[in-house]
Amino acid sequence: MQGITGQELSSKKAEYLKYIHMQGNVVKTTEIAVHFSVAPSTVTKALTDIAKAGYIEHTPYHGVRLTTLGTEYARFLVRRHRIVALVLSRHGLEPEEACREAKKIEQCFTKELTDRMCTSLGHPIMSVCGEIEHDHRCCGSRGGYRG
């Protein structure tokens, strides 16, 4: 994904994008609101902004689906989260704690730093919170995103 810094969206909007990606296909605004314990109007406003950025297609009263760009970016966001969580777990945090703490700080990690951490970890395939997909630009011949 060219030009990605890892900081294109606010942390809350990034969480919404990751959630949509993990759910697959079309996700309703109410599902997102319930999952994040926020008002549907709050979600609708955020989804409008995410759609304007080109990451989702939002059809009011029907739900949202990721665009190709949104899928690529969501995969990066999930990968970054899992790499940060793995680093934290290797420094003494229990798996659940590492995942929880990663959510708090992952927004600070650029794509470049995420790729460097991935390389220094030996391009791991598993984190404490799931499989790590590898970006071929980070991992060379280890392949592109799998999934």
Side-chain angles (χ1 to χ4, degrees), residues 28-103:
K28 296 198 177 283
T29 302
T30 52
E31 280 180 63
I32 299 168
V34 168
H35 180 79
F36 289 98
S37 302
V38 297
S41 60
T42 301
V43 173
T44 299
K45 182 181 179 329
L47 293 178
T48 300
D49 293 343
I50 297 168
K52 284 179 186 173
Y55 298 117
I56 61 171
E57 295 172 354
H58 181 212
T59 307
Y61 308 106
H62 287 77
V64 298
R65 86 174 56 231
L66 296 172
T67 62
T68 300
L69 178 64
T71 298
E72 288 180 25
Y73 192 55
R75 284 180 169 171
F76 161 73
L77 294 171
V78 170
R79 177 174 168 266
R80 175 176 68 186
H81 170 79
R82 291 180 177 172
I83 289 170
V84 172
L86 180 60
V87 168
L88 294 174
S89 73
R90 290 191 176 180
H91 289 280
L93 277 68
E94 292 297 319
E96 299 80 21
E97 184 183 16
C99 185
R100 189 174 56 249
E101 294 298 321
K103 282 183 183 176

Side-chain angles (χ1 to χ4, degrees), residues 1 79 111 133-145:
M1 198 173 169
R79 177 174 168 266
K111 181 174 185 321
E133 294 184 85
H134 291 283
D135 179 337
H136 69 280
R137 287 170 290 275
C138 163
C139 305
S141 62
R142 290 175 118 31
Y145 281 120

